[in-house]
Amino acid sequence: MEAVVLVGGQGTRLQPLTIRTPKPMLPFAGAPFLTHQITRLRAAGVEHIVLATSYRAEVFAEHFGNGKELGIRIDYVTETEPLGTGGGIRNVARRLESGPADAVLIVNGDVLSGHDIGAQLELHRRREAAATLHLVEVPDARPFGCVPTDSHNRVTGFFEKSPEPVTNRINAGCYVFARHVIDEIPEGRVVSVERETFPGLLEDKQMVLGYVDNAYWLDVGTPRAFVKGSSDVVRGVVDSPVLSGSVGESLIDPDASVHPNAVITGGSVIGPRSVVESGATVHSTVVADGAHIGSGAVIGFSLIGRRAVIGRKAMLNDVVIGEGAKIGENNELANGIRIWTDAVIPDAAIRFSPLP
Ligand code: GDD
Ligand code: MG
C-alpha cells in the first residue's frame, strides 16, 4: 500500500515558526507533526510514502532520510514552483509503484485524525470508486471544502471555502484515489484537487464516495489548533503510535531541565535542552528545543519557538513566540499576538490589562 502526503504549503498561519521550518516538521507531542502521521499510515498498512514537497523541502529529507528508522520507505518529489494540491499529487505519480486500478492514499500534511483508514479503504474497494473522501461534520464548514453526499454515500458536489455551506460535512483531507485518477490529472501546471479535480470527476459522472467518520479530527494549521492537537495527543484524547499509550498531563524530554516546583499541565510539551525555572507554570503549551522559561513565568495555550527566552514573571496566554526571541521580565502578552524570530521585548514593556 502506498501513500502520498502533501507537505508543500508555506504554513503562513503558523508564522513566524514556519519561516525556517515547514509546518509538518514543527515539534508536536514529542516529535515533528509528520512523524505522527507517518506512523499512523504505517499502522494502517502503508509501506511506501511519497512526500510531495515544495516549501523548505530539504528539511524533510534531512530528518527522515529513506524512512528506515520509522520502518517505512520514504521518497521525495519536490516542486520547484508550488503546483497546488492536485499538481503536487500529479507530480509524484512517477514515483508510485501501484498499478492503474490499485488504491493510493493521499493525505494533507496538517491533519490529525483518528478515523478508521482501513474502513475507508474497504468502502473504496467494495464500491470500485474512482475516489473516496474521508468526511467529517464540523460546526462551521466555511474554512473547509464543503462536500454534500446522497443516501448512497455518493459525493454530489465539492465547494471549497464556500461562504454559504450547503452541509456541515467537510473534506477531512484524506483521500483514496484509484491510481489511474492520479495519472489523469493534467501535468506540469498548478492544479487544485479541491477546486478542479473533484468537481471535474463529478462532472464526468465518476464514482466519488464520501466515507463519513466522526472520530477525532483536527486541522492543525493555526496556532490555536496546533497547541490543542499536541496537548490532545499528550493527554491521550487521540492516540498516536509515537507515544504508544504513555500519556499524561505533560511530556518532558529527558534532556530538558524542569525545576521540581514548576507546574507543567494540560498536555504541555517541554522539548530537549529546554529549561523551566522554579515556580513557573506551563499549561497546554508546546515549548520547542532549547527554550528557557524564567522563574514564576505563567504560560498557557502558547507555542514557544526554539531557543526563545521567557523572562521572570512574564505572563503569556494564547501567543506565538518566534525562534530565539527574548521576552523580558514582567511582560504580559495575550490574544493571539506573535513575536517574530529573534525579536527582543524589554523588561516590563507590555501590559495586557484591559483599558479602564
Ligand atoms: N506539494 C504541495 N504543493 N503541497 C501543498 C501545496 C502545493 O502547492 N499547497 C498546499 N499544500 C499542502 C499543505 O502543506 C497541506 O498539507 C495541504 O496541502 C492542504 O493545504 P492547506 O493550505 O492546509 O489547506 P486548507 O487547510 O486551507 O484546506 C484543505 O484542507 C481542509 C481540511 O483540513 C482543503 O483540502 C479543504 O478542502 C479541507 O477541508
Ligand atoms: Mg490545512
Side-chain angles (χ1 to χ4, degrees):
M1 179 82 203
E2 293 186 288
V4 177
V5 187
L6 293 167
V7 290
Q10 300 208 6
T12 324
R13 291 165 292 180
L14 281 165
Q15 283 176 351
L17 298 176
T18 46
I19 291 174
R20 292 176 191 158
T21 309
K23 168 166 69 176
M25 295 305 287
L26 290 174
F28 180 98
F33 179 76
L34 188 56
T35 308
H36 297 274
Q37 262 187 332
I38 291 174
T39 51
R40 234 189 130 246
L41 289 168
R42 187 190 59 198
V46 172
E47 292 142 357
H48 181 216
I49 289 185
V50 187
L51 294 183
T53 62
S54 170
Y55 179 70
R56 298 253 174 229
E58 67 290 351
V59 182
F60 297 94
E62 276 163 22
H63 185 86
F64 292 113
N66 62 9
K68 209 172 163 199
E69 272 179 37
L70 289 177
I72 199 160
R73 252 180 334 117
I74 302 181
D75 273 316
Y76 306 84
V77 182
T78 303
E79 299 146 42
T80 16
E81 288 298 319
L83 291 170
T85 47
I89 297 167
R90 177 65 183 90
N91 196 45
V92 308
R94 61 197 141 97
R95 286 294 175 86
L96 295 174
E97 294 153 9
S98 306
D102 290 346
V104 178
L105 269 170
I106 301 182
V107 198
N108 284 352
D110 63 350
V111 165
L112 178 64
S113 175
H115 82 285
D116 186 342
I117 298 173
Q120 181 181 358
L121 279 162
E122 201 275 320
L123 173 68
H124 177 87
R125 291 187 173 125
R126 181 162 46 83
R127 302 269 300 270
E128 295 175 4
T132 302
L133 286 59
H134 171 210
L135 307 180
V136 286
E137 280 152 2
V138 295
D140 179 8
R142 287 174 299 177
F144 302 107
C146 169
V147 186
T149 49
D150 69 13
S151 55
H152 303 286
N153 297 317
R154 271 189 88 141
V155 170
T156 55
F158 196 111
F159 308 100
E160 184 65 14
K161 313 267 178 336
S162 164
E164 285 168 21
V166 293
T167 163
N168 64 342
R169 280 193 182 168
I170 60 133
N171 166 28
C174 175
Y175 324 120
V176 185
F177 271 30
R179 161 72 199 262
H180 68 85
V181 172
I182 296 176
D183 296 328
E184 285 153 18
I185 298 173
E187 205 176 356
R189 67 164 172 89
V190 175
V191 179
S192 160
V193 78
E194 297 89 351
R195 295 178 196 273
E196 186 174 337
T197 310
F198 290 131
L201 288 171
L202 296 174
E203 211 161 285
D204 291 350
K205 305 271 183 288
Q206 302 239 34
M207 166 101 72
V208 180
L209 296 179
Y211 166 73
V212 182
D213 185 330
N214 284 316
Y216 185 99
W217 183 86
L218 189 67
D219 176 328
V220 301
T222 64
R224 283 181 189 128
F226 197 89
V227 163
K228 178 176 167 21
S230 176
S231 303
D232 284 347
V233 171
V234 170
R235 292 185 303 141
V237 176
V238 55
D239 285 334
S240 165
V242 174
L243 298 192
S244 57
S246 58
V247 298
E249 277 298 289
S250 64
L251 185 66
I252 297 171
D253 189 275
D255 289 334
S257 159
V258 175
H259 193 280
N261 71 11
V263 180
I264 319 288
T265 55
S268 293
V269 179
I270 310 293
R273 296 171 301 283
S274 283
V275 176
V276 183
E277 305 258 30
S278 72
T281 302
V282 181
H283 182 75
S284 229
T285 286
V286 180
V287 177
D289 318 6
H292 190 113
I293 314 291
S295 61
V298 179
I299 305 179
F301 307 98
S302 296
L303 288 170
I304 311 295
R306 298 196 161 93
R307 298 181 312 280
V309 177
I310 313 299
R312 288 173 55 243
K313 295 194 174 166
M315 293 178 67
L316 272 48
N317 188 51
D318 179 25
V319 299
V320 180
I321 308 295
E323 285 184 32
K326 293 194 171 51
I327 310 298
E329 305 178 6
N330 289 300
N331 278 293
E332 296 174 8
L333 307 177
N335 261 20
I337 218 164
R338 291 145 194 257
I339 304 297
W340 226 250
T341 314
D342 296 326
V344 178
I345 308 292
D347 291 349
I350 299 176
R351 279 280 173 279
F352 182 70
S353 328
L355 292 173

